[in-house]
């Protein structure tokens, strides 16, 4: 509630200092501001601003034909009693015959006169109930709403009073993620019904979702090897989060104007949000800038996803542990409950295949061979399941354990069109990633290795 009160009073202060309601255009803007708040607080869904239809509407500024209520909005600081009486007279004369049943005289600025009268008293004239309302009445009514509604109102008010907010429609770098929406379009992100978590992972997901929802956790990091399930855990967690808008940014992607990120964070800061930064190990310098900026925005919580960057030496000051110092983290250990996880994923996939293609046989075969074929790698497992589905639909006599490493890698090579990439570039790609050196592979660069050798980054590339 402190945010709501502070921002409302900041807006009122702006009105007092600038005599905002003396000009017609500014008066209409102020009426629109309170119209949107009244809609949220009192569910006046059909409330309209009459001054768009006719300049200086008689008696009232806002009207809801369904609720049969008219509202006069005023910022006067003297002759308040005359204003109330004039509003009553004009409103009853012009709106009683149109079915008006309730009249609010809403004072934006609470004067000495208003502090001394009892605003809880409801006067009734000729069947019309008349209420005197002030900002304090509005704040009191907001405080009685449930938490989710108060958050919506808090965001609305902050957006209205901010001079920096221009909306989320112009976000280019950050991607807003809705419920059940994937972070990217990769084919290898498991369908939700095929995702399997160990008891420990599920407990962590539930705990994080609860803590982010209730603002217990501000920042958190998930660490894991490539294809260990970092984004899958993050995806599962955000399905359970409430009262937060979710935004995603992948630091692997090239970002040429870092100032745009900081500007977009300002827009996001007008909402109670969770920002997910993926692959922070690929751009540590930018990650640190974003982390520092996010810490200044009270409404933004953050989840960071990273590989074990420079962790060969635990005392390396450039290791990921140094970069996330002070942030709690969860390490994905693929050796922990690995067989349970792989078995669970396979079982879910087989159940799905049996439902889709009940006329075919779907058997996993030797589980030990499956572990060997997939090298305990969840991405390989996912690829292998896709290959098996495709091949068994044709021949109906292949058990899953027959999908070996050569078949998996060949399918990966073909689906990703790696034949388009120069072979020496592909070798460079593997070497740099193996040694935690982030870079982006540009297709068609024939002399990549030569240039890297010139710079002393690599000495020799062994041909595959």
């Amino acid at each position: 509630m402190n945010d709501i009160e502070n921002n409302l009073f900041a807006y009122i202060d702006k009105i007092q200092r600038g005599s905002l309601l003396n000009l017609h255009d500014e008066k209409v803007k102020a009426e629109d501001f309170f119209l949107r708040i009244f809609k949220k607080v009192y569910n006046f869904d059909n409330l309209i601003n009459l001054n768009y239809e006719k300049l200086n509407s008689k008696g009232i500024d806002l009207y809801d034909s369904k609720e049969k209520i008219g509202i006069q909005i005023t910022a006067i600081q003297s002759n308040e009693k005359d204003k109330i009486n004039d509003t009553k007279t004009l409103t009853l004369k012009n709106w009683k015959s149109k079915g008006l049943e309730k009249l609010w005289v809403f004072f934006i600025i609470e004067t000495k006169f208003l502090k001394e009268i009892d605003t809880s008293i409801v006067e009734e004239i000729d069947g019309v109930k008349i209420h005197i309302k002030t900002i304090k009445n509005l704040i009191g009514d907001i405080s009685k709403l449930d938490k989710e509604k108060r958050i919506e109102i808090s965001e609305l008010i902050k957006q209205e009073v901010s001079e920096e907010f221009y909306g989320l429609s112009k976000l280019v770098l950050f991607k807003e993620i809705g419920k059940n929406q994937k972070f990217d379009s990769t084919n290898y992100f498991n369908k939700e019904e095929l995702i399997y978590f160990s008891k420990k992972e599920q407990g962590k997901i539930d705990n994080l979702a609860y803590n982010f929802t209730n603002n217990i956790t501000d920042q958190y990091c998930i660490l894991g090897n490539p294809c260990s399930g970092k984004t899958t855990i993050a995806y599962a967690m955000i399905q359970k989060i409430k009262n937060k808008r979710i935004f995603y940014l992948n630091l692997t992607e090239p970002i040429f104007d870092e100032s745009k990120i900081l500007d977009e964070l300002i827009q996001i800061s007008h909402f109670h949000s969770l920002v997910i930064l993926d692959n922070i190990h690929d751009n540590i310098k930018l990650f640190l800038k974003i982390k520092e900026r996010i810490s200044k925005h009270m409404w933004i919580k953050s989840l960071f996803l990273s590989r074990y960057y420079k962790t060969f030496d635990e005392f390396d000051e450039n290791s990921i542990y140094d970069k996330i110092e002070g942030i709690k983290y969860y390490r994905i250990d693929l050796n922990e409950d690995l067989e349970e996880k792989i078995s669970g994923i396979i079982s879910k996939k087989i159940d799905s295949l049996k439902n889709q293609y009940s006329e075919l046989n779907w058997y996993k075969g030797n589980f030990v061979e499956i572990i060997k074929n997939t090298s305990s790698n969840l991405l390989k497992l996912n690829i292998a399941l896709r290959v098996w589905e495709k091949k068994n639909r044709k021949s109906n006599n292949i058990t899953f354990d027959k999908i070996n490493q050569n078949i998996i890698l060949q399918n990966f090579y073909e689906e990703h069109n790696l034949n388009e990439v120069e072979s020496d570039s592909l070798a460079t790609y593997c070497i740099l990633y193996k040694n935690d050196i982030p870079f982006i592979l540009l297709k068609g660069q024939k002399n990549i290795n030569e240039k890297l050798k010139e710079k002393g980054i690599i000495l020799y590339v062994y041909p595959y």
Side-chain angles (χ1 to χ4, degrees), residues 290-448:
I290 296 173
K291 179 171 76 77
E292 190 272 335
R293 183 57 61 94
I294 286 177
S295 67
K296 296 180 179 179
H297 295 300
M298 184 176 64
W299 285 6
I300 302 181
K301 311 304 177 187
S302 48
L303 176 66
F304 309 123
L305 310 180
S306 178
R307 295 183 184 179
Y308 296 115
Y309 177 77
K310 294 186 181 295
T311 54
F312 299 111
D313 179 359
E314 63 179 304
F315 299 107
D316 187 339
E317 65 180 12
N318 292 312
S319 79
I320 192 64
Y321 297 116
D322 179 76
K323 302 307 178 187
I324 63 170
E325 185 178 6
I327 299 174
K328 291 184 178 180
Y329 60 86
Y330 172 66
R331 292 181 55 175
I332 298 175
D333 185 354
L334 284 180
N335 294 318
E336 191 174 58
D337 303 319
L338 177 64
E339 292 191 5
E340 174 202 343
K341 193 176 183 74
I342 290 177
S343 178
I345 293 172
I346 294 171
S347 295
K348 282 196 166 189
K349 180 66 174 179
I350 288 176
D351 289 342
S352 175
L353 291 171
K354 284 180 177 179
N355 286 332
Q356 285 182 278
Y357 314 105
S358 57
E359 72 282 3
L360 301 177
N361 295 314
W362 301 97
Y363 301 111
K364 67 181 178 183
N366 190 314
F367 186 69
V368 175
E369 281 297 309
I370 294 172
I371 296 290
K372 179 181 176 182
N373 292 337
T374 58
S375 307
S376 303
N377 183 296
L378 297 183
L379 176 60
K380 277 189 176 181
L381 175 65
N382 201 352
I383 296 170
L385 288 169
R386 284 163 53 86
V387 176
W388 180 44
E389 176 182 351
K390 187 164 53 176
K391 288 184 175 294
N392 198 50
R393 284 172 61 188
K394 293 180 180 178
S395 59
N396 190 28
N397 62 357
I398 301 175
T399 54
F400 184 43
D401 61 345
K402 302 304 179 186
I403 307 299
N404 58 37
Q405 289 202 37
N406 288 336
I407 296 174
I408 294 171
L409 293 175
Q410 183 60 34
N411 188 80
F412 182 81
Y413 190 90
E414 291 173 357
E415 287 208 19
H416 284 268
N417 297 317
L418 292 180
N419 58 301
E420 296 180 11
V421 181
E422 294 288 334
S423 60
D424 61 340
S425 299
L426 188 58
T428 303
Y429 175 94
C430 297
I431 290 172
L432 295 180
Y433 260 118
K434 182 179 179 181
N435 291 281
D436 281 335
I437 302 173
F439 80 109
I440 297 169
L441 185 65
L442 301 177
K443 294 181 180 179
Q445 299 299 310
K446 296 182 179 180
N447 299 317
I448 287 180

Side-chain angles (χ1 to χ4, degrees), residues 208-325:
L208 278 176
Y210 177 86
N211 286 346
F212 276 126
T213 295
N214 293 284
N215 298 317
I216 297 170
T217 296
D218 290 329
Q219 297 181 325
Y220 200 85
C221 185
I222 298 177
L223 299 171
N225 289 318
C227 310
S228 59
K230 298 184 292 293
T231 54
T232 305
I233 288 176
Y235 170 79
M237 183 200 66
I238 65 174
Q239 307 311 311
K240 296 173 174 286
I241 287 180
K242 299 177 181 178
N243 306 326
K244 295 280 187 294
R245 297 181 80 151
I246 311 296
F247 299 90
Y248 174 84
L249 179 66
N250 188 346
L251 294 193
T252 296
E253 302 297 327
I255 298 170
F256 301 107
D257 186 354
E258 295 179 0
S259 65
K260 287 186 177 179
I261 289 182
L262 305 181
D263 182 55
E264 290 188 9
L265 280 174
I266 291 174
Q267 307 311 309
I268 292 171
S269 73
H270 289 76
F271 299 88
H272 290 81
S273 309
L274 173 67
V275 166
I276 298 174
L277 290 187
D278 201 355
N279 294 314
I280 63 172
H281 57 275
D282 278 340
N283 198 334
I284 290 292
K285 186 177 179 182
L286 180 56
F287 155 67
L288 293 173
K289 283 184 181 179
I290 296 173
K291 179 171 76 77
E292 190 272 335
R293 183 57 61 94
I294 286 177
S295 67
K296 296 180 179 179
H297 295 300
M298 184 176 64
W299 285 6
I300 302 181
K301 311 304 177 187
S302 48
L303 176 66
F304 309 123
L305 310 180
S306 178
R307 295 183 184 179
Y308 296 115
Y309 177 77
K310 294 186 181 295
T311 54
F312 299 111
D313 179 359
E314 63 179 304
F315 299 107
D316 187 339
E317 65 180 12
N318 292 312
S319 79
I320 192 64
Y321 297 116
D322 179 76
K323 302 307 178 187
I324 63 170
E325 185 178 6

Side-chain angles (χ1 to χ4, degrees), residues 67-78:
E67 299 294 332
K68 302 185 185 306
I69 183 171
I71 303 174
Q72 163 68 219
I73 295 177
T74 179
I76 66 166
Q77 301 177 57
S78 60

Side-chain angles (χ1 to χ4, degrees), residues 156-215:
L156 172 64
I157 295 172
K158 183 175 181 179
Q159 292 158 23
E160 293 281 0
V161 301
S162 172
E163 295 181 357
E164 296 178 306
F165 182 71
Y166 54 75
L168 297 176
S169 61
K170 294 184 180 180
L171 292 187
V172 174
L173 301 173
F174 283 94
K175 176 183 179 182
E176 184 170 9
I177 305 294
K179 291 293 183 183
N180 302 313
Q181 181 182 355
K182 303 296 189 294
F183 298 140
D184 57 41
S185 58
T186 177
N187 291 327
Y188 296 109
F189 197 103
N190 267 329
K191 293 181 179 178
E192 191 166 359
E193 64 269 19
L194 300 181
I195 295 174
Y196 182 90
F197 297 111
S198 67
K199 289 182 180 179
K200 181 179 179 181
E201 288 174 333
Q202 190 60 60
K204 177 54 65 177
I205 289 166
D206 294 342
N207 178 258
L208 278 176
Y210 177 86
N211 286 346
F212 276 126
T213 295
N214 293 284
N215 298 317

Side-chain angles (χ1 to χ4, degrees), residues 446-463:
K446 296 182 179 180
N447 299 317
I448 287 180
N449 286 341
E450 284 70 15
K451 291 181 179 180
L452 291 173
K453 289 175 187 175
E454 288 175 10
K455 300 295 182 182
I457 295 176
I458 60 176
L459 299 178
Y460 181 73
V461 176
Y462 292 90

Side-chain angles (χ1 to χ4, degrees), residues 144-155:
K144 298 173 186 176
L145 300 173
D146 61 55
K147 181 180 178 181
E148 190 169 346
K149 199 69 176 286
R150 292 201 306 272
I151 287 174
E152 289 180 19
I153 293 166
S154 179
E155 291 175 346

